[in-house]
Amino acid sequence: MTPDMYLVLGIVIAGFSIPSILSAVSDGRAPRASAITILIAGGLILLAIQTQPGGYTLQEIPDVFVRVIAPFVS
């Protein structure tokens, strides 16, 4: 896997865990599963930043998504 794929996967996993966190907090439960998924997402994002020479900027993230998703769409 490339650093771009790690970054996209980490951002997607983090995005999917937000509703789980909100659900757990609103029900008065501890968000244990959500915390684990956030840690996994953070690890993937950190791995992507460390393995990409020069890292990433915020302006590059949409281009990274397009580079990763484009081969699956076309």
Side-chain angles (χ1 to χ4, degrees), residues 17-32 34:
S17 67
I18 291 172
S20 178
I21 292 170
L22 294 176
S23 174
V25 170
S26 69
D27 289 343
R29 303 180 277 119
R32 289 183 185 97
S34 303

Side-chain angles (χ1 to χ4, degrees), residues 18-71:
I18 291 172
S20 178
I21 292 170
L22 294 176
S23 174
V25 170
S26 69
D27 289 343
R29 303 180 277 119
R32 289 183 185 97
S34 303
I36 292 171
T37 58
I38 288 290
L39 288 173
I40 292 170
L44 286 169
I45 293 169
L46 184 63
L47 178 65
I49 291 171
Q50 287 183 344
T51 56
Q52 175 71 19
Y56 291 101
T57 63
L58 288 177
Q59 292 80 18
E60 288 179 305
I61 293 176
D63 294 332
V64 171
F65 267 88
V66 170
R67 281 196 305 259
V68 170
I69 295 173

